Amino acid sequence: MARCSTSITVANACDTKSFTGLRQLAESRHYKAWFLDQFGVLHDGKQPYPGAISTLKNLAAGGAKMIIISNSSRRASTTLDKLKSLGFDPSLFAGAITSGELTYQYLQRRDDPWFQALGKACIHMTWSDRGAISLEGLGLQVVENVEQAEFILVHGTEALGLSSGDSVSKKLDELEKILEQCAAKGIPMVVANPDFVTVEARELRIMPGTLAASYEKFGGEVKWMGKPHQIIYKSAMIMAGVDASDSIAVGDSLHHDIKGANASGIESAFITCGIHSSELGLEEFGEVADLSSVQALALNYDAYPSYVLPSFTW
């Protein structure tokens, strides 16, 4: 960056250290717990990134306790099953925490006052191509009429849940029209995946956070259940049995992974080959981003990584 003043935000941006691989980072500081994003870091939804599997094994060999923290609408067990199907060894992870798992647990327990007040009747926005999300065990009533709804539950951006248990495909603008009606009625939303977009096979795909952001613009109330909010990082630290000073978060989203780590007092590593690759002018996997460009982007997102790496490789 051309100029770095002494203000906190600019100083943070300029303090970012660049490494070419995880080995340098792991050897420079021994973190007890590594909180790893999956999409855009370990894999692209279809296949592992080059070197990701061997890097996990190297971290594990060094005694690192690794936990997946993911803005995924699906439950933690499904996430670990997905990783196994892609060739990852689930035994390398101490566990997984997803925004979908947190959403399920809070809706099931109802021990939080905000969730206690929700009611049971919901408009359910879900997936079609990616597979609908089961609401089994939550005692919810899916309704199709906004007038009957007590809240909105957003798991996906492709379909609307039906009272029969099936779903019908909907375009994004059709779902947003329903949200306008819900906002006019003043009912709250729970979003089970705060991501705006994700990387799938090198392409960006619209995620539930986009609908949640629209709902806030319509004047609606949203309960965001994952990154960048501290709830998921606190859960990860409890699972790992560590505090913030012994932890590092690794992710490809400045707004979600890095900003969330900043808010939780956790150091972070920004992987540039994910959702910001186009903004950074990167065309090939493993291409090293210009550090001044990374610092400028960090300022733009008000999210400041401790370290920057081209990919999750050793």
Side-chain angles (χ1 to χ4, degrees):
M1 186 170 291
R3 296 175 299 173
C4 284
S5 74
T6 56
S7 70
I8 292 175
T9 55
V10 177
N12 284 343
C14 291
D15 285 344
T16 300
K17 299 176 182 177
S18 179
F19 290 130
T20 57
L22 262 290
R23 178 176 182 175
Q24 295 169 287
L25 175 53
E27 292 179 349
S28 69
R29 168 83 189 275
H30 182 70
Y31 296 97
K32 293 180 180 177
W34 292 66
F35 303 145
L36 306 177
D37 182 35
Q38 53 168 340
F39 288 90
V41 175
L42 301 180
H43 62 82
D44 66 359
K46 304 295 182 182
Q47 60 185 2
Y49 284 124
I53 291 176
S54 59
T55 298
L56 288 172
K57 292 177 180 178
N58 286 328
L59 283 173
K65 188 176 289 187
M66 295 177 288
I67 294 176
I68 297 294
I69 58 169
S70 175
N71 278 357
S72 168
S73 302
R74 303 184 189 280
R75 300 194 63 186
S77 59
T78 304
T79 290
L80 290 173
D81 288 343
K82 171 72 171 180
L83 287 168
K84 184 177 181 179
S85 73
L86 292 176
F88 294 93
D89 180 358
S91 70
L92 295 178
F93 304 106
I97 300 174
T98 66
S99 51
E101 181 68 36
L102 289 175
T103 300
Y104 187 92
Q105 296 295 338
Y106 273 73
L107 284 171
Q108 185 183 59
R109 293 198 308 262
R110 300 274 179 158
D111 54 2
D112 177 272
W114 193 90
F115 281 87
Q116 282 181 351
L118 275 185
K120 297 289 188 178
C122 70
I123 295 284
H124 186 213
M125 296 182 177
T126 185
W127 298 112
S128 55
D129 292 346
R130 299 164 66 95
I133 307 289
S134 172
L135 304 182
E136 185 178 354
L138 294 178
L140 298 178
Q141 177 191 3
V142 175
V143 297
E144 300 160 42
N145 188 330
V146 171
E147 294 305 314
Q148 297 176 305
E150 294 172 292
F151 73 102
I152 313 151
L153 177 57
V154 183
H155 277 115
T157 63
E158 297 174 340
L160 185 68
L162 302 177
S163 55
S164 64
D166 295 326
S167 63
V168 58
S169 295
K170 293 285 184 181
K171 295 180 180 179
L172 199 67
D173 62 339
E174 293 177 310
L175 294 177
E176 288 182 336
K177 287 179 181 177
I178 296 171
L179 291 182
E180 287 188 73
Q181 298 172 37
C182 293
K185 188 186 174 188
I187 63 175
M189 170 192 284
V190 179
V191 60
N193 181 343
D195 279 355
F196 302 125
V197 295
T198 193
V199 177
E200 284 196 0
R202 299 292 290 175
E203 294 183 359
L204 295 182
R205 188 161 185 166
I206 300 296
M207 301 303 283
T210 296
L211 287 174
S214 294
Y215 198 57
E216 287 189 330
K217 289 179 182 178
F218 297 150
E221 178 188 7
V222 177
K223 177 67 76 172
W224 300 81
M225 289 306 293
K227 299 177 287 187
H229 303 277
Q230 294 184 42
I231 180 173
I232 197 166
Y233 294 91
K234 288 180 179 178
S235 297
M237 285 187 278
I238 291 171
M239 179 179 284
V242 299
D243 58 25
S245 63
D246 289 321
S247 309
I248 185 168
V250 183
D252 70 316
S253 170
L254 286 167
H255 176 77
H256 294 99
D257 300 303
I258 307 306
K259 197 162 194 169
N262 291 166
S264 301
I266 296 172
E267 292 196 352
S268 60
F270 172 44
I271 304 298
T272 59
C273 71
I275 64 169
H276 295 293
S277 59
S278 294
E279 291 174 277
L280 293 169
L282 305 177
E283 297 181 356
E284 297 181 5
F285 177 83
E287 187 178 350
V288 178
D290 178 72
L291 185 57
S292 64
S293 296
V294 172
Q295 291 167 337
L297 197 63
L299 282 171
N300 187 46
Y301 281 88
D302 191 27
Y304 308 101
S306 312
Y307 312 97
V308 58
L309 300 100
S311 60
F312 190 79
T313 48
W314 194 244

